[in-house]
Amino acid sequence: MQSIVLNYITEDDVSLNSCLYLPNDENTDVENLPAVLLFPEWWGLTEHIKDKAKALAKAGYVALAVDMYGNGRVTSDAQIASERMNELLQHPDLLSERVQLAYNNLRAVAEVNPNKMAALGFCFGGRVALDMARDGVDLCGVVSFHGMLNTQTPAQKGVVKAEILVEHGQLDSMCTLQNVDEFRTEMDAADVKYHIDVFPDTKHGFTNPQATENGKRNGADLAYNPVVAEQAWNNALAFLTRVLKA
């Protein structure tokens, strides 16, 4: 597996340092590989997200762990994380630019088949990935892990190209079961192909090994669930195999 820092610059000179992982160990003639964008939680481009990108590369995908905040910034402070996330959510043009840059740069990688791409996101990143689908970006699939399901731009019939998989915790207090029901209603109205897995007794952040500690530090309702994390990841791998490798 090869790893490369893929740097690109926004119009307002923010340096985004995303991490690209290639499945080939040497400079072979591998090409036309499926590719996956990974959008991180509000903490930023943490080792958790990089580890998931590495796992995808080992499974045969070109994977880009996306830097959304610039200079690879990360934090374990929920107030700082919230400020950075909300800065982008409150300025959709900035958010859209960073998403589009990540998408375009991954598409341009020589080994990538631009017709076999997916997006995967965690928490804030889940919202980002789902909004890519809502916007009609040319993706085969989108996966959300304990993602934010609400949006300012609901899906419209005939626009969404991606099939969607949502992995959600029943006890997620940051995105409730009511939000899940609202998401179902939105997807059904737009005739989107989707599936939702709801895991019992599971809280927000369940995939992240640091979630429980981060929750205690910040007084947030977070908890890592290794059993559910593995099950959800296997569900995602099966989904990606079907939509990208079939």
Side-chain angles (χ1 to χ4, degrees):
M1 179 181 66
Q2 296 182 54
S3 62
I4 302 165
V5 175
L6 189 60
N7 174 264
Y8 41 93
I9 311 295
T10 68
E11 287 188 5
D12 54 348
D13 292 326
V14 176
S15 180
L16 300 170
N17 301 323
S18 298
C19 296
L20 181 72
Y21 299 91
L22 300 165
N24 50 314
D25 291 322
E26 299 177 356
N27 293 323
T28 61
D29 293 329
V30 176
E31 55 185 22
N32 290 321
L33 293 173
V36 182
L37 293 155
L38 292 92
F39 293 100
E41 298 167 281
W42 66 349
W43 310 116
L45 188 50
T46 62
E47 292 303 314
H48 168 51
I49 303 303
K50 294 177 184 178
D51 287 344
K52 291 304 184 186
K54 292 173 186 176
L56 286 177
K58 290 178 181 177
Y61 302 95
V62 178
L64 185 66
V66 180
D67 177 14
M68 293 296 289
Y69 296 150
N71 298 312
R73 289 183 297 168
V74 298
T75 184
S76 58
D77 186 315
Q79 181 176 346
I80 294 173
S82 179
E83 289 171 356
R84 290 174 179 172
M85 177 185 73
N86 286 326
E87 180 184 5
L88 292 178
L89 290 177
Q90 292 167 9
H91 297 87
D93 54 333
L94 297 181
L95 178 57
S96 177
E97 180 192 20
R98 295 183 189 193
V99 171
Q100 193 66 45
L101 282 169
Y103 176 75
N104 290 346
N105 275 272
L106 182 57
R107 278 179 64 93
V109 173
E111 292 87 349
V112 167
N113 180 343
N115 298 313
K116 291 290 185 178
M117 293 181 63
L120 183 158
F122 301 77
C123 182
F124 166 51
R127 161 74 178 269
V128 172
L130 290 170
D131 277 352
M132 290 183 76
R134 290 173 169 119
D135 290 342
V137 177
D138 192 8
L139 296 168
C140 298
V142 163
V143 184
S144 167
F145 294 95
H146 44 87
M148 299 163 58
L149 303 181
N150 61 314
T151 185
Q152 299 298 317
T153 55
Q156 302 298 313
K157 187 178 294 187
V159 174
V160 178
K161 300 175 184 178
E163 183 176 344
I164 293 173
L165 174 65
V166 171
E167 303 293 284
H168 186 80
Q170 178 194 29
L171 302 181
D172 191 329
S173 61
M174 300 182 183
C175 182
T176 66
L177 292 180
Q178 179 180 341
N179 296 136
V180 174
D181 288 341
E182 291 167 352
F183 180 80
R184 284 195 179 97
T185 299
E186 177 196 351
M187 294 296 109
D188 289 340
D191 286 338
V192 176
K193 187 174 183 180
Y194 72 98
H195 177 78
I196 302 173
D197 293 313
V198 177
F199 300 100
D201 302 320
T202 302
K203 294 187 175 185
H204 190 78
F206 62 83
T207 66
N208 189 341
Q210 301 301 314
T212 303
E213 180 182 343
N214 284 341
K216 291 177 180 177
R217 180 187 300 113
N218 292 282
D221 193 19
L222 309 174
Y224 176 49
N225 188 322
V227 174
V228 171
E230 182 177 7
Q231 183 177 350
W233 185 248
N234 288 336
N235 291 346
L237 288 178
F239 173 81
L240 292 174
T241 296
R242 181 168 57 80
V243 300
L244 292 181
K245 293 185 176 181

